[in-house]
PDB file of all heavy atoms in Angstrom:
ATOM      1  N   ASN Y  33      34.374 -83.915 -19.799  1.00 96.00           N
ATOM      2  CA  ASN Y  33      33.698 -82.709 -19.437  1.00 96.00           C
ATOM      3  C   ASN Y  33      32.205 -83.024 -19.330  1.00 96.00           C
ATOM      4  O   ASN Y  33      31.634 -83.780 -20.117  1.00 96.00           O
ATOM      5  CB  ASN Y  33      34.020 -81.716 -20.550  1.00 96.00           C
ATOM      6  CG  ASN Y  33      33.232 -80.453 -20.559  1.00 96.00           C
ATOM      7  OD1 ASN Y  33      31.979 -80.524 -20.665  1.00 96.00           O
ATOM      8  ND2 ASN Y  33      33.868 -79.365 -20.424  1.00 96.00           N
ATOM      9  N   GLU Y  34      31.555 -82.380 -18.361  1.00 94.00           N
ATOM     10  CA  GLU Y  34      30.123 -82.670 -18.106  1.00 94.00           C
ATOM     11  C   GLU Y  34      29.226 -82.388 -19.368  1.00 94.00           C
ATOM     12  O   GLU Y  34      28.367 -83.149 -19.692  1.00 94.00           O
ATOM     13  CB  GLU Y  34      29.691 -81.849 -16.891  1.00 94.00           C
ATOM     14  CG  GLU Y  34      28.176 -81.861 -16.541  1.00 94.00           C
ATOM     15  CD  GLU Y  34      27.692 -83.194 -15.967  1.00 94.00           C
ATOM     16  OE1 GLU Y  34      28.523 -84.073 -15.690  1.00 94.00           O
ATOM     17  OE2 GLU Y  34      26.460 -83.308 -15.821  1.00 94.00           O
ATOM     18  N   LEU Y  35      29.534 -81.282 -20.025  1.00 96.00           N
ATOM     19  CA  LEU Y  35      28.726 -80.954 -21.198  1.00 96.00           C
ATOM     20  C   LEU Y  35      28.923 -81.976 -22.293  1.00 96.00           C
ATOM     21  O   LEU Y  35      27.937 -82.384 -22.934  1.00 96.00           O
ATOM     22  CB  LEU Y  35      29.131 -79.552 -21.736  1.00 96.00           C
ATOM     23  CG  LEU Y  35      28.684 -78.387 -20.881  1.00 96.00           C
ATOM     24  CD1 LEU Y  35      29.231 -77.103 -21.412  1.00 96.00           C
ATOM     25  CD2 LEU Y  35      27.187 -78.314 -20.754  1.00 96.00           C
ATOM     26  N   LEU Y  36      30.142 -82.430 -22.503  1.00 97.00           N
ATOM     27  CA  LEU Y  36      30.414 -83.416 -23.470  1.00 97.00           C
ATOM     28  C   LEU Y  36      29.768 -84.742 -23.082  1.00 97.00           C
ATOM     29  O   LEU Y  36      29.161 -85.436 -23.944  1.00 97.00           O
ATOM     30  CB  LEU Y  36      31.937 -83.590 -23.609  1.00 97.00           C
ATOM     31  CG  LEU Y  36      32.464 -84.587 -24.621  1.00 97.00           C
ATOM     32  CD1 LEU Y  36      31.962 -84.325 -26.026  1.00 97.00           C
ATOM     33  CD2 LEU Y  36      33.998 -84.591 -24.620  1.00 97.00           C
ATOM     34  N   ARG Y  37      29.854 -85.091 -21.845  1.00 96.00           N
ATOM     35  CA  ARG Y  37      29.256 -86.387 -21.382  1.00 96.00           C
ATOM     36  C   ARG Y  37      27.751 -86.342 -21.664  1.00 96.00           C
ATOM     37  O   ARG Y  37      27.188 -87.319 -22.107  1.00 96.00           O
ATOM     38  CB  ARG Y  37      29.506 -86.592 -19.896  1.00 96.00           C
ATOM     39  CG  ARG Y  37      30.910 -87.031 -19.544  1.00 96.00           C
ATOM     40  CD  ARG Y  37      31.009 -87.571 -18.128  1.00 96.00           C
ATOM     41  NE  ARG Y  37      30.796 -86.581 -17.128  1.00 96.00           N
ATOM     42  CZ  ARG Y  37      31.746 -85.798 -16.588  1.00 96.00           C
ATOM     43  NH1 ARG Y  37      32.980 -85.898 -16.983  1.00 96.00           N
ATOM     44  NH2 ARG Y  37      31.437 -84.943 -15.620  1.00 96.00           N
ATOM     45  N   LYS Y  38      27.134 -85.171 -21.469  1.00 95.00           N
ATOM     46  CA  LYS Y  38      25.645 -85.072 -21.697  1.00 95.00           C
ATOM     47  C   LYS Y  38      25.407 -85.195 -23.209  1.00 95.00           C
ATOM     48  O   LYS Y  38      24.418 -85.728 -23.654  1.00 95.00           O
ATOM     49  CB  LYS Y  38      25.118 -83.806 -21.122  1.00 95.00           C
ATOM     50  CG  LYS Y  38      24.898 -83.865 -19.615  1.00 95.00           C
ATOM     51  CD  LYS Y  38      24.052 -82.714 -19.184  1.00 95.00           C
ATOM     52  CE  LYS Y  38      23.699 -82.890 -17.680  1.00 95.00           C
ATOM     53  NZ  LYS Y  38      23.249 -81.695 -17.037  1.00 95.00           N
ATOM     54  N   MET Y  39      26.289 -84.587 -24.010  1.00 96.00           N
ATOM     55  CA  MET Y  39      26.141 -84.561 -25.476  1.00 96.00           C
ATOM     56  C   MET Y  39      26.094 -86.002 -26.002  1.00 96.00           C
ATOM     57  O   MET Y  39      25.318 -86.334 -26.856  1.00 96.00           O
ATOM     58  CB  MET Y  39      27.258 -83.797 -26.132  1.00 96.00           C
ATOM     59  CG  MET Y  39      27.076 -83.553 -27.584  1.00 96.00           C
ATOM     60  SD  MET Y  39      28.652 -82.968 -28.331  1.00 96.00           S
ATOM     61  CE  MET Y  39      28.891 -81.429 -27.435  1.00 96.00           C
ATOM     62  N   VAL Y  40      26.938 -86.829 -25.491  1.00 97.00           N
ATOM     63  CA  VAL Y  40      27.117 -88.200 -26.029  1.00 97.00           C
ATOM     64  C   VAL Y  40      26.275 -89.243 -25.303  1.00 97.00           C
ATOM     65  O   VAL Y  40      26.396 -90.450 -25.545  1.00 97.00           O
ATOM     66  CB  VAL Y  40      28.607 -88.650 -26.122  1.00 97.00           C
ATOM     67  CG1 VAL Y  40      29.348 -87.660 -27.002  1.00 97.00           C
ATOM     68  CG2 VAL Y  40      29.189 -88.776 -24.729  1.00 97.00           C
ATOM     69  N   ARG Y  41      25.439 -88.784 -24.433  1.00 96.00           N
ATOM     70  CA  ARG Y  41      24.586 -89.677 -23.661  1.00 96.00           C
ATOM     71  C   ARG Y  41      23.682 -90.514 -24.566  1.00 96.00           C
ATOM     72  O   ARG Y  41      23.096 -90.003 -25.484  1.00 96.00           O
ATOM     73  CB  ARG Y  41      23.632 -88.819 -22.768  1.00 96.00           C
ATOM     74  CG  ARG Y  41      23.425 -89.295 -21.451  1.00 96.00           C
ATOM     75  CD  ARG Y  41      22.757 -88.248 -20.579  1.00 96.00           C
ATOM     76  NE  ARG Y  41      23.520 -88.094 -19.392  1.00 96.00           N
ATOM     77  CZ  ARG Y  41      23.197 -87.249 -18.446  1.00 96.00           C
ATOM     78  NH1 ARG Y  41      22.157 -86.480 -18.589  1.00 96.00           N
ATOM     79  NH2 ARG Y  41      23.915 -87.146 -17.353  1.00 96.00           N
ATOM     80  N   GLU Y  42      23.592 -91.836 -24.270  1.00 97.00           N
ATOM     81  CA  GLU Y  42      22.847 -92.708 -25.134  1.00 97.00           C
ATOM     82  C   GLU Y  42      21.401 -92.921 -24.669  1.00 97.00           C
ATOM     83  O   GLU Y  42      20.568 -93.361 -25.361  1.00 97.00           O
ATOM     84  CB  GLU Y  42      23.508 -94.071 -25.180  1.00 97.00           C
ATOM     85  CG  GLU Y  42      24.865 -94.062 -25.801  1.00 97.00           C
ATOM     86  CD  GLU Y  42      25.562 -95.379 -25.739  1.00 97.00           C
ATOM     87  OE1 GLU Y  42      24.884 -96.412 -26.004  1.00 97.00           O
ATOM     88  OE2 GLU Y  42      26.776 -95.392 -25.450  1.00 97.00           O
ATOM     89  N   THR Y  43      21.189 -92.633 -23.359  1.00 98.00           N
ATOM     90  CA  THR Y  43      19.830 -92.849 -22.792  1.00 98.00           C
ATOM     91  C   THR Y  43      19.282 -91.560 -22.300  1.00 98.00           C
ATOM     92  O   THR Y  43      19.944 -90.891 -21.435  1.00 98.00           O
ATOM     93  CB  THR Y  43      19.943 -93.855 -21.628  1.00 98.00           C
ATOM     94  OG1 THR Y  43      20.573 -95.033 -22.140  1.00 98.00           O
ATOM     95  CG2 THR Y  43      18.544 -94.242 -21.106  1.00 98.00           C
ATOM     96  N   ARG Y  44      18.132 -91.172 -22.782  1.00 97.00           N
ATOM     97  CA  ARG Y  44      17.537 -89.934 -22.308  1.00 97.00           C
ATOM     98  C   ARG Y  44      16.140 -90.211 -21.757  1.00 97.00           C
ATOM     99  O   ARG Y  44      15.396 -90.992 -22.328  1.00 97.00           O
ATOM    100  CB  ARG Y  44      17.453 -88.907 -23.466  1.00 97.00           C
ATOM    101  CG  ARG Y  44      18.834 -88.589 -23.970  1.00 97.00           C
ATOM    102  CD  ARG Y  44      18.880 -87.433 -24.919  1.00 97.00           C
ATOM    103  NE  ARG Y  44      20.202 -87.280 -25.500  1.00 97.00           N
ATOM    104  CZ  ARG Y  44      21.152 -86.484 -25.033  1.00 97.00           C
ATOM    105  NH1 ARG Y  44      20.897 -85.743 -23.998  1.00 97.00           N
ATOM    106  NH2 ARG Y  44      22.314 -86.434 -25.605  1.00 97.00           N
TER     107      ARG Y  44
END
Side-chain angles (χ1 to χ4, degrees):
N33 169 298
E34 173 71 6
L35 289 174
L36 179 58
R37 285 195 293 273
K38 281 193 174 162
M39 187 193 299
V40 299
R41 219 167 233 181
E42 298 176 40
T43 306
R44 300 191 187 264

